[in-house]
Each structure stands twice: as C-alpha cells, then as structure tokens.
Amino acid sequence: MIRLVDKQEIIISYFRDGKSQGQIEKETGISRKTIRKYIKRYENARNQLIDNKKSCRGFDR
C-alpha cells in the first residue's frame, strides 16, 4: 500500500515537471480534489519559506 507521504511526493513531483492536475489525475488515479489539496499545501509551504528568507535578509544589513 502506498503511504501518504509517498502520494504527496508523487503529486508534487508531477506538478514540478509541469503536468496539469488533469494529467496527474489520469496517470495516478488520485482525485483532482486531493491533488489540488496537496499542491496548495506545497505552494503555501514554499511561499512561507520564501517570505522567511526575505525577512531574514533584513537582519543581514
């Protein structure tokens, strides 16, 4: 059985490769709703990291 973490990594890998949510759904059999949820979590985490890096740069000056 596929673990949740593995499912998330597969979805994000496909997304990073430029595949659409529809393509990911067809290739993995994972529902589009689940795909959207994981992509949104990934983008939020990525944006938070970027924002944290920007705010830390202010301390270097």
Side-chain angles (χ1 to χ4, degrees), residues 53 55-61:
K53 279 187 175 183
S55 66
C56 287
R57 287 185 187 153
F59 292 114
D60 292 340
R61 295 180 188 168

Side-chain angles (χ1 to χ4, degrees), residues 7-37:
K7 185 192 297 187
Q8 292 169 335
E9 289 176 2
I10 291 167
I11 291 170
I12 298 307
S13 175
Y14 278 103
F15 179 69
R16 285 182 180 162
D17 289 343
K19 298 203 177 197
S20 70
Q21 292 177 16
Q23 289 172 311
I24 297 169
E25 179 184 33
K26 287 177 187 174
E27 292 183 29
T28 63
I30 299 169
S31 77
R32 225 181 257 200
K33 184 177 178 181
T34 300
I35 293 167
R36 272 193 300 270
K37 177 176 71 175

